[in-house]
Amino acid sequence: MKKLFLFIITSALFLTSTALAQDDISLYINGSKINCDVAPQLVNDRTLCPTRAIFDAFGASVEWDGANKQVTVKKDGSEILLTVGAKTAYVNSKAVSLDCAPTIISDRCMVPIRFISEALGCEVKWEEKTKSVLITYNNDSAGSGNNTENTVISDIKLAQNGDDKSVFEIKYNGTKEPNTSFLSYSNCIVMDFENTSLAFADSKVTVDNSFVKEVRYAQHEDYARVVIECKNVQPYTTSFANGIFTVNVGSASTAVVTPSNPVTPANPVTPDNPQEPGVTMTDKEFTKTRNENNLCVVIDAGHGGKDPGAVYKNANGVIELAEKDVNLTIANRVYDILLSEGVNVKYTRNTDQFLELKEITDIANNYDADLFVSVHINAMENSPDVSGMMVLYNGDALGDKYGINSKEVAVNIDKQIAAAVNIKDRGIVSRPGLWVLRKTNMPAVLIECAFISNANDRAIMTDETALNAYARSIADGIKQSLETMKQNIIKAKNE
Ligand SMILES: [Zn+2]
C-alpha cells in the first residue's frame, strides 16, 4: 500500500465531505457493488463503512459481541478486534491506532475505510463522479498486462494549429511525465507514458500542417506510446500541468500558451472524431454480417511457458501447482468438447507456450472470432481463506452487435460452472482494465476458476472429475451464448 496514495484518498474524502452530506455513498469491491443495509457514511470527514458487509465480501468471519460492543473479524488465521468508540484496534493482539473510532450507525458497526485498506492490504479509491468507494484487492493480476487501471490517457488533441507552432494536449491522469525523445532519422517526437492505458483504440490521425505530418498512439504492454511525426527536424518543448501534458512544436515552440486565451482546435485530434476513411457500419448492419451457422470461439489458456501465472508453493518453497498448467488442462478440454460437438473453435495455445498479451488478442481479432473465453486461476497469497470462482467481463464495453454482450456471456458461464462444480460462486465482476477484455473486438470473458492460494480450491483443481466438470460447464455456457447470438443474428437478418 503506497502511503502517498492513501494520503491522496484521505484528502479527496476530506475535500468532498461537505458536498456529500446527503448523498448515499456506494461501495464496490473489485467492481461488484456491495449491498450494504447501511450505506458508507461521512462522519467528521472520515468515510465509515459497514464492517460486516466489507469483511463478509472478503470471506472473513465477523462476530459481534453486543455486551462489550466489540467486533471480532477472523481471517487467514489472524484476528482483528474492533471496539466501538475506541481509537485502538487490535490486529493479532497488536495495537493499531485508527484515525477514527468505530461507530454504531443504524445498528451497524461502521469502521473507517482507511483501516479496512490497511488491515486487508488492498487499494481504496474514491470516485467523486459516482460517490463511490472502490476497493480493489489483489487477486490474479495476470491478464491485466500491466497495472494500468489507474493511469489513463483520456484525450489527445491538437489545441492550437498556428502558422508558427502546433500545440498538442495530452490529457493524462498520471503524475510522472512521459519519457520523451526525438528520433532524428524519422523526425518523430516519441512519448512513452509508463504503466498507462489509452482510453481508446490504437490509431493514427493525419495532421498535415506546417510542422506535423501525423499523430499516432498505441498501447504497449507496459506503456502507452504517443508519436508526433514532424515534417522535418522541429524544435519542441513540453510541459506538464493540471493533468495536461502539452507539446509545442514549431519555430515558436517556446512561446507560452495562455489558458485565458483558448484556441478553438482547428483540427481536433480526438478519438471521438476519427478521420478514418471507409464506410461506417451501424451495429445492426454489423450483426447482419455475422455468420450464424459458423460462429467462432477462441479459447485462451492464460499464461504459459516462462510465465507460470499464480503458483502454489509448499513449505519448502517448491512450486506444487502452477496456474498455467491448470488453465491449459481446462482450456484443452473445453476445446475438445466444443470441437467434438461441431463448434468452430480455436485456441491461443494448446501446449506450454508463452504468448504476449498482444499476441493473444491478435489471435482472436485475426480469426475475427465471435467470442473469446480466457481461462485463469486466481490467487490471494496473504488470504488463503478466500476461495471461489468468478467470471470477469468488461463492463465498459457492452455492445451487443455480435448478438450478445460480454456480461450476458459471463452470466451464462458463471451459472453453468456454479451448477456443475462444487465451488463458491463469487459471481460476475467487471474488470475493464484487463488487456484481454479490452483489446478483443468481440464479446470476451475471463474465468477465474478458483483460488490457487486456497487449500479446498487446490483440491478441486487437481481432481479429474472436477476438471471435467469445469470443461463441460464452460463449454455449455459457451454453447448457450452462441445459441443466443445465433438467434439474434437471424432476427437482425430478418428485420
Ligand atoms: Zn491468470
Side-chain angles (χ1 to χ4, degrees), residues 372-389:
F372 174 88
V373 177
S374 188
V375 178
H376 282 253
I377 307 298
N378 221 329
M380 214 169 151
E381 268 173 35
N382 299 324
S383 307
D385 288 351
V386 175
S387 67
M389 166 272 299

Side-chain angles (χ1 to χ4, degrees), residues 140-143 302-303 309-310 323 327 375-378 446 448:
D140 180 16
S141 64
H303 312 278
E323 180 192 351
N327 294 345
V375 178
H376 282 253
I377 307 298
N378 221 329
L446 188 151
E448 296 281 15

Side-chain angles (χ1 to χ4, degrees), residues 351-387:
T351 58
D352 185 16
Q353 177 195 0
F354 174 76
L355 294 169
E356 296 285 354
L357 291 169
K358 185 171 186 312
E359 292 180 278
I360 293 169
T361 48
D362 280 350
I363 289 170
N365 293 337
N366 290 338
Y367 276 129
D368 189 23
D370 296 274
L371 187 57
F372 174 88
V373 177
S374 188
V375 178
H376 282 253
I377 307 298
N378 221 329
M380 214 169 151
E381 268 173 35
N382 299 324
S383 307
D385 288 351
V386 175
S387 67

Side-chain angles (χ1 to χ4, degrees), residues 89 96 99 145 212 221 232 279 315 333 340 379 386 391 393 407 477 480:
V96 176
D99 53 357
V212 176
E221 185 157 359
N232 38 52
V279 185
R333 290 181 194 188
S340 71
V386 175
V391 184
Y393 66 98
K407 188 176 183 180
Q480 186 186 354

